[in-house]
Every structure is written in C-alpha cells, then in structure tokens.
Amino acid sequence: MADNNAGGGLVSRWADYSMRNPETVYRYLLYIGIGAFLLISLFPIYWLFVIALTSPGNMSNIWLLPKGFNIGVFIEIFRTTPFHWYVLNSLIISTVTTALVLLFASLAGYVFGRMEFRFRRPLMLVILAISYFPAASYLIPLFRLLTGNVGVAGVYPPDLFNTHFGIIIPLLGIMMPLSIFILTTFYAQIPDGLEDAARVEGTTRLGALFRVIMPLSAPGVATAGVLTFIMVYNEFFFSFLMNDGEVSNGAPLVWGMIRFQERFQVNYGEMAAASLVATIPIVILVLIAQERIVSGLTSGALKE
Amino acid sequence: MSSSNQSQNPIKAVHQIATKWIANMSDTRFAYLLLLPTLLTVTALAIWPLIYTFEISLHANSLSGLYGDFVGLENYVQILSGQRDAILPSPFLSFQDPINSGLIVTFIFAFVSVILEAFLGFGMALVLDQQFRGRRFVRAAIIIPWAFPIVIQGMIFYIMFTPGLGFATELTAWLPYLSRNALSHGLTALVVVIIADVWKQSAFIALIVLAGLQSIDRSLYNVAKVSGASPWQRFKLVTFPLVMPSLLIALLFRTIGAMRIYGQIEAITSCSVVPSLSCMVVQSFDTGNYANAATVAFITASIIGTVVSIYLLKYREV
C-alpha cells in the first residue's frame, strides 16, 4: 500500500494496524472461518425446516423463510405413509448389526491386541484390505447367497430378500474391519497384570475378556458401537437392493424416503419433514457421543 | 463335576466340557477359535464374493443361467476398448461423450470432490484447533452432515435443485450450461452430486487432520517463535509438514470412498444421468447382464486396490 495515495489513507492505515497486530487479525479470521463453516454445515438442514413448514400450495422459489407455517406436516407424514415403521426398521437393523459386530470384533480385537501368534499380521492386513473394496464388487455373489441360490454340499440357506437379516448380514462384513481395528487398539492398552490377576482368581479366558477387558475398555467399545450404528443407519447400497420397499418386509429408511420421491404428486413439505424426523436419532447420537466419534474416526484411520 | 450331574442338566454339562476344552487349549488354537466368527464372516461376505465376481467376469453372459462359456479376459478387453458400450448402461470410457462415460465420471467426481473436501476440511481443522467459546458446538455442527443418512443428504440437494422449488436453480440460472433443470443433465447433475458430497464428507477430513494438528508438539512453535519465524512461516515449516501424513491418509480414505459413489446419485438424480462405476454394476445386474456387472465391478475393485497400493508403497515403508 502506497502511503501517498490520497484515497488510500484508510486502507493503508488499516494495513499498517494489521501488520502491527497480527493476533487481532487472526482472531477475526477465526471468527470468519467459524461463521462460514457453521453456515455451510447447518444451512441445508435449516432449509429443510423452511421447506417442511411451507404450506403445500406455496411451493415455489423458497429462499430463507417458509411461506406459511404448516407445523401439522410433522403429524401428516405419519398419516400418509407408515413412516415411523421405516425408521423403526432402520433402528432395528442398526441395533442388531451393531451388537453382532461388537461381539465378533471383540473376540478378534482380543486376539489381535493381546495375543501373539504366527499369522497375526497377515490376517490383520487381509481384514484391512477387505474394508477398501466397494460393495458393488460383492453384489452378484452376495445377492445370490442371501436369496438362497448358493448351496454348500446341497444345503441351501433361506431366502433373506425382504427380511431384516438380508440387510444385516452383508453389512456385518462391511462394518467389521473398522470395529476390529478400534477394539484392537483399545484392548492392547489394558495392562497384562489386570487380566492375569483375574485369571489367578479362577476366571476363564473368555470370562477375562467379557468381565475384565471389555469393561475396562468401555470407551473403546462405545466408540466402535456408535460409529457402526451411525454407518449402518446411513447405509444405502444393501438397504436399497435387499428389499422391495414394503414396510411389512422390513424396509429401512432408504425406502421410506424413496417412496416419497416416487409418488405421482410429490409432496416436498412432507419429504423434508420426514427427513428431519429420520435424522433425530443420529443428531442425538452426535450430540451425546461427539468425543467417541472423533476418537473412533481418527484411531480407525491413523492405524496402519 | 460328577457324571451324574450331566444327565440332570445337559446345558450345564456342555458348558463345563467347553470350558475345560478351552482351558486346555494351546494359545494359538485359542486365538483361532476366537477369530473363527470373524474369519467365517469375512470369508463368506467379502473374500468369497470377490473371487466369485472375478470368476463370473471370466465367462460369457448367459441368458438362462449365471454365466455361459469360459472366455478368459475377453469381457475386460471388450469393455476397456469400448466395444461393449452399446450394451452397457452407459459407455465405459468414451472421450466423445465424457460426461456420460462411467470411468471418466467416476474419476472427475473423485478428483474434484476430494480436492474440495481437502481444502474445506483443512480449514475446518485449523479452526477447530483453536481455543474459543462454543468450540464443542461448532465441532458438533461440523460433524452432523457426516452423520446424515445418504438418502437424506440426497433428498436435501434433490429438493434444493428442483426447478421452481429450490433457490439453487435460481442462483445458477444465469450461468452458462446450468439450465434450470440441473438434475436431468449429466454435467450439472454431476456438479450437484459433488456439492452434496463435499457438504457431507469434509468433516471426515477435518477430524483426521485435527487429530494430526493436536499431536504436534507445541514446544516446536515456541522454538520457531524464538527463532523469529513469522506465523506464516510457522505454518509452512512446522504445521504443514507435520500434518501432511494425516492429510494423506484422509485423502486416501476419501478417494476410496468417492470411487464407490452410488447412493447419493440414486437419491439426487438417477444412475442414467450420472453413471458412476458402481451405478453401472447395479444397472447391469438389474438387467441380468452378469458378465458386464461382474467385469465392471472387478475393474472398480482393481482401481481401488491400485490406489491403495500406490499409497502404501509411496508413503509407507511396508
């Protein structure tokens, strides 16, 4: 900035001040950043509210405020579609998948984290590698397996299409690696002495895992659990392809939303309201278990 | 326990036998016993399907069964060279029509969205690394999009870009190429899908970079300050190099994730408008062309495998 610039007196003074007080400038930059990121993250969600509250007749060019105040839409969605059943199906699928993943991954995490044996590293690498592949590359065989078309020695499994387990089972394989790595990290940190003491007192090996190691690693178990739950609740691929969308067939949330989209006369207000209702469980989880999500994502990712 | 007890309570007896059996096991055997559920699951739900997909891709398509005659790598040759484009849901690789070509669309999507997420996520991480009031709230707000169900993330941007309803089409109406009907044209729909992905996934990069930032030894900054480094130099010479490994891991994970893109497309527009590789697999599968579906699926898996290998060889001394 040239100081002899007549019109630039203000600008040059401002630049001068900024140079001498960098901390103040950083503070302002920080606030600008916070504002921008809050806006980016929350505006689309706010806008859903705006759409939901707009009365059906006024749906055009909705900007920042709803046209009308149609609070009844939040009741209406349960009346026009069995929306609560879709959400409930998703909650059931997420809960069962999370429980099974935690059980299996705990056993594996105990082995990888606390025992030494020959194939430990190669096995961990295989499990890690598997988590990279896209669901699409498993689609044809898994679909055949889950619809009872692949038999072992003449024994055919039941057709799981349109059941909760048709979605839960393929997701086990997809969700397991992350939980195994999180739990391996946590279980490895428990001092051997605590386990040995329990063993001396007559606790069995498995008893030591479930009564000593797991309770002591409660934060780790919670981390793996929260992340798995969120990811299953959010999952699209198998939730969509392993069901025909009928609530009575255990259709999850994905289908609930698609049904809104498929209707001849799309009711955008209801669609937005349904979206907001469906995200309540997830938003509550994020607010309660923020720390867990942060530590889980980072420990899962930063582990070789 | 005595054997008379076993006849009274079989469950208890089995439990005792099992306990004894486990107690007398060697450590290695016990390890494998505990790994059994995981190994079975992983084998049945991941390893076997991948091998089976590869097997299907080596055979001709069959109208009656799962696959016809063995043709070796013929499917790969024909799909990669563009001879199959007519019977694929959309061309696999076509430079005449790049926005309608599965491979190019997937690469554009992955490249652009990951770059944007890296900048946005890095900025978010720098902000969250500071001390200020309401930091927890800001962090929660940044995480919430990441936790949103894919189908609802799709809904938001589908409504926003619906002509005459959302404001987004009004905003972009004056731009060239961006017609009012953004969701039914390949290029503009791709832009919307990228925007949606950046909204959802930037937080992921932010959290991993934030962990990297917080693991930096703060005394390094004091050393830099004493040596007379300006704030910008401190960032360039201390922060950035030290946070680079975390950023690279975050980018790797996001690249892998972006290469799989499917759900958002289905929720925002449709697979025929933005034909990603996973889209092409599902569409071929739906029309019963298992040879094409399996081949495109295995090509996708191979691309992702290659990306991971390059990363491991370049940045990790394995």
Side-chain angles (χ1 to χ4, degrees):
Chain A
M1 277 291 143
D3 254 2
N4 52 13
N5 184 344
L10 244 176
V11 176
S12 60
R13 245 184 306 158
W14 173 78
D16 196 42
Y17 174 81
S18 308
M19 291 291 206
R20 271 184 281 121
N21 301 290
E23 294 308 320
T24 318
V25 175
Y26 284 126
R27 212 66 204 156
Y28 278 114
L29 276 179
L30 175 67
Y31 292 139
I32 291 169
I34 292 170
F37 294 138
L38 280 181
L39 194 70
I40 290 170
S41 298
L42 298 181
F43 178 75
I45 303 169
Y46 165 77
W47 196 73
L48 268 189
F49 264 107
V50 172
I51 290 285
L53 292 175
T54 299
S55 353
N58 301 332
M59 280 288 175
S60 62
N61 296 333
I62 314 295
W63 283 81
L64 297 179
L65 289 170
K67 295 181 178 174
F69 190 74
N70 180 17
I71 199 81
V73 72
F74 288 99
I75 315 256
E76 207 54 41
I77 48 173
F78 299 110
R79 239 188 269 157
T80 49
T81 63
F83 189 72
H84 42 296
W85 288 112
Y86 286 114
V87 175
L88 199 69
N89 281 329
S90 261
L91 290 174
I92 292 170
I93 289 167
S94 306
T95 309
V96 175
T97 310
T98 305
L100 288 172
V101 164
L102 284 183
L103 177 66
F104 289 8
S106 279
L107 299 175
Y110 177 85
V111 173
F112 288 140
R114 307 188 60 81
M115 295 176 84
E116 268 305 333
F117 61 104
R118 213 169 106 207
F119 294 111
R120 184 173 161 272
R121 255 194 93 70
L123 276 178
M124 283 183 87
L125 278 174
V126 167
I127 288 171
L128 182 67
I130 275 159
S131 62
Y132 294 143
F133 291 113
S137 58
Y138 308 144
L139 172 63
I140 307 170
L142 272 190
F143 192 84
R144 289 179 56 79
L145 176 71
L146 296 167
T147 50
N149 286 312
V150 178
V152 181
V155 181
Y156 285 83
D159 179 357
L160 295 174
F161 187 77
N162 279 342
T163 63
H164 285 153
F165 273 99
I167 297 167
I168 291 166
I169 290 174
L171 291 186
L172 283 184
I174 289 178
M175 300 296 163
M176 209 122 79
L178 178 68
S179 286
I180 288 175
F181 279 89
I182 291 173
L183 292 177
T184 299
T185 315
F186 275 93
Y187 291 171
Q189 290 165 351
I190 308 288
D192 286 343
L194 290 168
E195 194 184 355
D196 295 340
R199 291 296 306 281
V200 167
E201 284 176 17
T203 313
T204 57
R205 279 167 149 171
L206 278 174
L209 165 62
F210 290 114
R211 293 194 203 108
V212 180
I213 309 288
M214 262 177 110
L216 286 173
S217 322
V221 177
T223 300
V226 167
L227 277 183
T228 307
F229 190 92
I230 290 178
M231 284 171 159
V232 175
Y233 194 84
N234 294 353
E235 202 269 347
F236 190 99
F237 196 87
F238 287 108
S239 310
F240 178 62
L241 294 169
M242 287 305 297
N243 206 289
D244 68 358
E246 289 306 312
V247 160
S248 51
N249 293 330
L253 175 67
V254 168
W255 276 104
M257 298 310 302
I258 287 172
R259 282 290 137 98
F260 275 110
Q261 231 179 349
E262 280 175 348
R263 275 204 250 152
F264 176 66
Q265 193 69 49
V266 187
N267 186 327
Y268 294 104
E270 286 187 6
M271 209 153 110
S275 300
L276 288 167
V277 170
T279 50
I280 290 171
I282 291 297
V283 171
I284 291 174
L285 258 186
V286 170
L287 292 177
I288 295 175
Q290 238 197 98
E291 309 288 341
R292 304 281 111 240
I293 292 170
V294 173
S295 78
L297 279 181
T298 48
S299 73
L302 298 182
K303 187 129 179 59
E304 274 90 308
Chain B
M1 285 291 148
S2 63
S3 57
S4 65
N5 207 349
Q6 287 179 22
S7 54
Q8 286 159 13
N9 191 344
I11 295 173
K12 210 169 184 171
V14 168
H15 177 249
Q16 267 164 16
I17 291 167
T19 311
K20 211 178 245 169
W21 181 60
I22 290 175
N24 294 332
M25 236 182 216
S26 71
D27 268 0
T28 312
R29 275 206 156 160
F30 182 62
Y32 285 125
L33 179 73
L34 292 197
L35 283 178
L36 199 61
T38 300
L39 293 180
L40 281 177
T41 310
V42 163
T43 308
L45 303 178
I47 299 174
W48 169 79
L50 201 61
I51 295 169
Y52 200 8
T53 298
F54 183 60
E55 188 189 341
I56 296 169
S57 74
L58 298 178
H59 291 78
N61 198 40
S62 148
L63 294 170
S64 52
L66 183 59
Y67 51 72
D69 301 333
F70 180 82
V71 292
L73 295 175
E74 191 60 29
N75 288 325
Y76 291 87
V77 171
Q78 291 202 354
I79 284 179
L80 292 170
S81 65
Q83 296 169 53
R84 283 279 172 88
D85 285 355
I87 51 166
L88 280 170
S90 16
F92 180 79
L93 176 61
S94 143
F95 291 104
Q96 285 81 37
D97 191 8
I99 288 302
N100 199 20
S101 137
L103 190 67
I104 297 177
V105 161
T106 309
F107 273 135
I108 293 175
F109 171 80
F111 188 76
V112 177
S113 65
V114 171
I115 294 278
L116 293 174
E117 282 154 24
F119 278 105
L120 202 61
F122 206 100
M124 287 171 172
L126 287 176
V127 162
L128 290 177
D129 194 36
Q130 307 300 317
Q131 293 300 324
F132 56 90
R133 276 182 57 184
R135 189 168 153 271
R136 270 187 63 86
F137 169 76
V138 174
R139 193 173 65 177
I142 284 176
I143 294 173
I144 279 177
W146 173 83
F148 253 49
I150 289 172
V151 68
I152 290 171
Q153 165 210 9
M155 279 314 142
I156 294 175
F157 291 90
Y158 161 75
I159 299 177
M160 215 180 257
F161 284 87
T162 296
L165 173 69
F167 60 93
T169 46
E170 299 300 312
L171 284 181
T172 54
W174 55 274
L175 289 168
Y177 306 115
L178 277 168
S179 66
R180 287 279 169 96
N181 210 346
L183 296 181
S184 51
H185 297 283
L187 181 62
T188 47
L190 178 60
V191 170
V192 176
V193 175
I194 288 173
I195 292 171
D197 200 68
V198 170
W199 177 71
K200 188 175 178 2
Q201 298 291 0
S202 295
F204 178 82
I205 292 191
L207 291 181
I208 290 174
V209 171
L210 180 62
L213 285 172
Q214 292 181 335
S215 67
I216 295 175
D217 187 348
R218 301 279 154 168
S219 63
L220 288 172
Y221 289 112
N222 298 334
V223 173
K225 240 182 182 155
V226 172
S227 331
S230 71
W232 167 244
Q233 280 174 315
R234 267 179 273 161
F235 176 79
K236 202 176 74 174
L237 301 172
V238 180
T239 310
F240 198 72
L242 287 175
V243 103
M244 204 59 199
S246 333
L247 181 64
L248 279 173
I249 286 184
L251 292 183
L252 172 76
F253 274 83
R254 279 310 314 138
T255 308
I256 294 167
M259 296 295 298
R260 305 168 175 169
I261 179 87
Y262 167 73
Q264 291 89 323
I265 295 174
E266 202 75 271
I268 293 172
T269 96
S270 85
C271 273
S272 49
V273 181
V274 182
S276 74
L277 289 171
S278 287
C279 268
M280 288 170 75
V281 174
V282 176
Q283 285 172 298
S284 300
F285 174 78
D286 282 342
T287 54
N289 196 324
Y290 296 140
N292 285 350
T295 309
V296 175
F298 205 79
I299 292 171
T300 314
S302 312
I303 294 171
I304 289 173
T306 312
V307 169
V308 175
S309 314
I310 290 172
Y311 169 84
L312 287 177
L313 293 173
K314 228 176 138 87
Y315 299 105
R316 285 284 156 95
E317 285 71 48
V318 177

